[in-house]
Amino acid sequence: AQSVAQPEDQVNVAEGNPLTVKCTYSVSGNPYLFWYVQYPNRGLQFLLKYITGDNLVKGSYGFEAEFNKSQTSFHLKKPSALVSDSALYFCAVSSYSGNTPLVFGKGTRLSVIA
Amino acid sequence: NAGVTQTPKFQVLKTGQSMTLQCAQDMNHNSMYWYRQDPGMGLRLIYYSASEGTTDKGEVPNGYNVSRLNKREFSLRLESAAPSQTSVYFCASSEPPLATDTQYFGPGTRLTVL
């Protein structure tokens, strides 16, 4: 069975500082990893995904994530946070061995303070 | 191009009442999903339909039924609503394979069961 953990319920960062939102996963077989963002009263929006290839994945709005197989992690990062980045962020994992849908983490609320 | 649409946006039910949540997508996707989102629980999969004519249970299917009416539409039915089903419900769609494709989400239905 696949699972994903987001160890922080809330992350606070000052505007202009780098931000990191953490995600670790557990799957049998090769993992496929996703980040989604949810703004207030909206549905989830896709940010980026890792399927194969380069461990550093670049996505929308200046976000990137690094796949680390040895640490089973896929942390989301951005070099310089904006107030508009404040939202709920979800990490998700799947595995092609079962071709089953994504399993989502519980989410991390990011607050960027001006 | 509306993407994924859901109706209604808000609904209040009394315990024991029934209702159907509607979802439609205009992206010609083969796969569709129903999730519920609860505080501290993240996003949990209720049912999914990998392709027209098929449906499968997700993590939390009890108390729900689904119908894949055609390729565009995927409805979720609560036969006898319970307060535990108070939640925000999201529909999503994607192309197969389930494990690797980006999901596109609707705006959600906020359901309260009294």
Side-chain angles (χ1 to χ4, degrees), chain B residues 2-110:
Chain B
V4 179
T5 57
Q6 293 183 235
T7 54
K9 285 186 168 48
F10 301 94
Q11 184 71 49
V12 178
L13 293 178
K14 294 180 180 178
T15 297
Q17 287 185 317
S18 63
M19 79 160 296
T20 300
L21 281 65
Q22 306 286 354
C23 174
Q25 52 93 7
D26 62 3
M27 295 173 283
N28 203 34
H29 285 163
N30 281 287
S31 302
M32 297 185 74
Y33 313 80
W34 276 106
Y35 293 91
R36 60 178 290 173
Q37 183 179 20
D38 303 291
M41 302 294 291
L43 220 62
R44 293 181 292 169
L45 184 63
I46 304 171
Y47 272 93
Y48 65 101
S49 171
S51 60
E52 188 179 354
T54 70
T55 60
D56 286 285
K57 294 178 180 179
E59 182 185 353
V60 288
N62 291 346
Y64 305 95
N65 287 300
V66 290
S67 295
R68 184 74 184 267
L69 305 169
N70 48 55
K71 191 173 184 180
R72 291 187 63 248
E73 299 171 290
F74 188 38
S75 64
L76 178 72
R77 183 161 178 83
L78 287 70
E79 290 290 352
S80 179
S84 61
Q85 294 178 305
T86 293
S87 187
V88 181
Y89 292 86
F90 289 100
C91 178
S93 70
S94 74
E95 273 297 285
L98 300 175
T100 59
D101 201 69
T102 301
Q103 292 185 20
Y104 294 85
F105 284 79
T109 294
R110 189 173 295 273

Side-chain angles (χ1 to χ4, degrees), chain A:
Chain A
Q2 55 220 37
S3 65
V4 61
Q6 295 181 241
E8 301 156 317
D9 291 335
Q10 173 96 28
V11 170
N12 298 317
V13 64
E15 188 176 30
N17 283 2
L19 69 87
T20 299
V21 183
K22 295 180 180 177
C23 172
T24 59
Y25 66 88
S26 174
V27 294
S28 53
N30 290 326
Y32 302 117
L33 296 152
F34 295 73
W35 277 102
Y36 286 81
V37 60
Q38 184 181 32
Y39 298 103
N41 300 312
R42 304 286 295 275
L44 277 69
Q45 296 177 33
F46 170 75
L47 271 181
L48 51 81
K49 65 181 175 183
Y50 171 82
I51 303 299
T52 187
D54 194 347
N55 289 345
L56 183 64
V57 179
K58 293 188 183 298
S60 306
Y61 312 121
F63 284 94
E64 60 187 28
E66 186 165 13
F67 171 61
N68 187 317
K69 189 171 184 178
S70 63
Q71 296 186 3
T72 62
S73 67
F74 190 57
H75 300 332
L76 182 69
K77 299 183 180 185
K78 188 174 182 182
S80 179
L82 299 172
V83 172
S84 57
D85 293 329
S86 299
L88 189 56
Y89 290 81
F90 290 95
C91 182
V93 67
S94 64
S95 173
Y96 201 78
S97 62
N99 196 25
T100 52
L102 297 179
V103 172
F104 284 82
K106 294 184 178 181
T108 298
R109 186 164 301 281
L110 173 68
S111 291
V112 181
I113 303 158

